[in-house]
Amino acid sequence: MSRSALPLNAIHAFLVTARHLNLTRAAVELCITQGAVSRKIATLESWLGFSLFERHARGLHLTAQGAALLPELQQGYAMLLSATEKASRSNASIRLKAPTCAMRWLVPRLVALEQQRPEIHVALTTTLDHASLLENYDAAIVFGAPPAGSIRLFDEKLTPVLGSHISPPGSISDLAKFTFLHPTNDMRDWQLWFAQQNVHLPMARNQHFATMDLAISAAMQGFGVTVADVTLVQNDLANGRLIAPFADCVATGAAYSLLQRSEEDAPPFLPELVAWLCQSQNETQSSALADLG
C-alpha cells in the first residue's frame, strides 16, 4: 500500500457520502456524477486496504472499519480546512469602504499606517453613498446619524473656508462679494451656518457640487468660499492651503462613524486598523478647532 499520495479528494467524497449515506445526494453536493463518487470512494478503499461502505437495499451503511475511521478523518479534514483558510486570510486585504468626502481625513491616516505597519493591507473603495451598510466590506466609514454598533469618529462641524491666496473677508457681510460654493445640491449647509450667526445674507452667486471634497477643492483654487467640516480640512488649514476667516463653526448633527465586521468574521489586522483610525479621535477635532480664526 503506497503512502506517496494521500487522496484528499477521495477523503472529501467519503466524508460527504458518510453524512448522507446516499450516493445520489452526495453527488449533488459534490457537483459530480454518482459514478464519480463511487470511483473516488473506491480509490480511498484501495489506498486503505479495506471497505468503507456496505450497500443495502435501503442505501449505504458504514462498515465497522469505516465507522471507526470517520471521526478522525472528520477532525483532520476540519483542521486542514481551518489551517488553509487561516493562511489564506493572513495575506488578505482589509476591504474598507468610505464616502469620498472623508478622503481628506482618511487617506493621510492610511498612508501613515502603511509606513508604520507595512504588513497591513487596506483595499479602499470610495462611494457617494452614505448608507450605513457593510455590504461585502470588512469595515465602512459612514456619514449621518451614527448607526447602532458603530464607533463615532468625529462630528461634522462646518465653517467657511477659502483659498489662502484670496484676501479674506473682514466681516461676515463681506462674504456677499464671493461666489458661494455649496457641498450639496441645496443651500442648507450655508443657511445653517448663517442661522447660528443670526445673519441673513443674500447669496447672489452660487455653485453647487456633488460632494464636500469637490467644493473644498474649488475653494482652494480660488473659485469662491465654501463651508467645510473643520476636521476634514485640518491639514489644509495647517499647511496654508486654506484659511478659515471666522472662528465660529456649527454642528450639523451628523457624524462620521465606523462600522466593522464581527470578530469571528473579521480578517487579520482589522482590530489594528480600527484602533489606528480611532486613536486620538477627540484630539483630531480639538486640533482642527484650534486652527480656526
Side-chain angles (χ1 to χ4, degrees), residues 235-281:
N235 288 339
D236 297 311
L237 293 173
N239 294 328
R241 291 187 291 267
L242 288 172
I243 57 173
F246 309 108
D248 295 319
C249 59
V250 58
T252 66
Y256 290 86
S257 305
L258 181 65
L259 290 168
Q260 60 180 310
R261 286 209 175 279
S262 58
E263 183 177 352
E264 58 270 20
D265 296 327
F269 300 122
L270 179 58
E272 286 87 343
L273 172 64
V274 172
W276 181 268
L277 295 179
C278 293
Q279 72 176 358
S280 66
Q281 56 193 20

Side-chain angles (χ1 to χ4, degrees), residues 158-163 175 178-184 189-190 193 207 209 211-220 223-229 233 242-245:
L158 302 179
T159 196
V161 295
L162 67 163
L175 288 171
F178 291 94
T179 297
F180 288 91
L181 310 176
H182 301 275
T184 60
D189 289 338
W190 268 112
W193 189 82
Q207 187 65 252
F209 296 87
T211 69
M212 180 173 289
D213 188 61
L214 291 174
I216 292 170
S217 296
M220 202 176 296
F223 295 129
V225 59
T226 188
V227 280
D229 178 80
V233 296
L242 288 172
I243 57 173

Side-chain angles (χ1 to χ4, degrees), residues 105 109 151-155 157 230-231 234 256 275-290:
W105 177 86
R109 282 158 178 78
I151 300 172
R152 198 184 197 108
L153 294 173
F154 56 90
D155 296 321
K157 295 182 179 180
V230 294
T231 301
Q234 178 183 1
Y256 290 86
W276 181 268
L277 295 179
C278 293
Q279 72 176 358
S280 66
Q281 56 193 20
N282 294 329
E283 290 87 347
T284 295
Q285 197 156 42
S286 297
S287 298
L289 293 172

Side-chain angles (χ1 to χ4, degrees), residues 7 14 19 45 63 67 114 137 158 176 194 210 215 222 236-237 277 292-293:
F14 165 64
R19 177 159 27 90
E45 290 175 330
T63 63
E114 181 181 4
Y137 296 93
L158 302 179
F194 281 132
D236 297 311
L237 293 173
L277 295 179
L292 297 182

Side-chain angles (χ1 to χ4, degrees), residues 33-272:
T33 65
Q34 182 175 328
V37 176
S38 297
R39 287 191 292 273
K40 288 181 182 294
I41 292 172
T43 297
L44 181 59
E45 290 175 330
S46 175
W47 197 92
L48 292 168
F50 55 81
S51 297
L52 296 169
F53 293 102
E54 295 175 349
R55 287 173 170 78
H56 297 274
R58 295 185 178 181
L60 299 176
H61 294 280
L62 286 163
T63 63
Q65 288 174 299
L69 180 64
L70 179 61
E72 293 188 25
L73 282 185
Q74 287 173 326
Q75 182 181 7
Y77 197 78
M79 291 176 64
L80 180 64
L81 289 177
S82 177
T84 53
E85 181 180 355
K86 183 178 180 180
S88 174
R89 290 173 58 204
S90 66
N91 292 320
S93 297
I94 300 172
R95 298 163 299 176
L96 173 64
K97 178 182 71 169
T100 55
C101 55
M103 289 302 103
R104 307 184 90 85
W105 177 86
L106 177 61
V107 170
R109 282 158 178 78
L110 293 182
V111 171
L113 175 62
E114 181 181 4
Q115 292 172 344
Q116 185 166 324
R117 298 286 302 278
E119 71 275 19
I120 300 179
H121 305 286
V122 179
L124 176 62
T125 299
T126 60
T127 178
L128 295 176
D129 185 10
H130 295 163
S132 303
L133 298 173
L134 272 178
E135 298 174 323
N136 62 330
Y137 296 93
D138 302 308
I141 294 175
V142 296
F143 174 75
S150 66
I151 300 172
R152 198 184 197 108
L153 294 173
F154 56 90
D155 296 321
E156 182 181 54
K157 295 182 179 180
L158 302 179
T159 196
V161 295
L162 67 163
S164 56
H165 60 289
I166 305 297
S167 297
S171 64
I172 293 178
S173 61
D174 288 341
L175 288 171
K177 66 183 180 182
F178 291 94
T179 297
F180 288 91
L181 310 176
H182 301 275
T184 60
N185 59 5
D186 55 29
M187 300 181 178
R188 64 179 185 272
D189 289 338
W190 268 112
Q191 290 170 343
L192 186 63
W193 189 82
F194 281 132
Q196 179 166 289
Q197 314 310 313
N198 293 316
V199 171
H200 179 73
L201 194 69
M203 291 182 278
R205 297 184 303 277
N206 300 276
Q207 187 65 252
H208 297 267
F209 296 87
T211 69
M212 180 173 289
D213 188 61
L214 291 174
I216 292 170
S217 296
M220 202 176 296
Q221 296 175 63
F223 295 129
V225 59
T226 188
V227 280
D229 178 80
V230 294
T231 301
L232 296 184
V233 296
Q234 178 183 1
N235 288 339
D236 297 311
L237 293 173
N239 294 328
R241 291 187 291 267
L242 288 172
I243 57 173
F246 309 108
D248 295 319
C249 59
V250 58
T252 66
Y256 290 86
S257 305
L258 181 65
L259 290 168
Q260 60 180 310
R261 286 209 175 279
S262 58
E263 183 177 352
E264 58 270 20
D265 296 327
F269 300 122
L270 179 58
E272 286 87 343

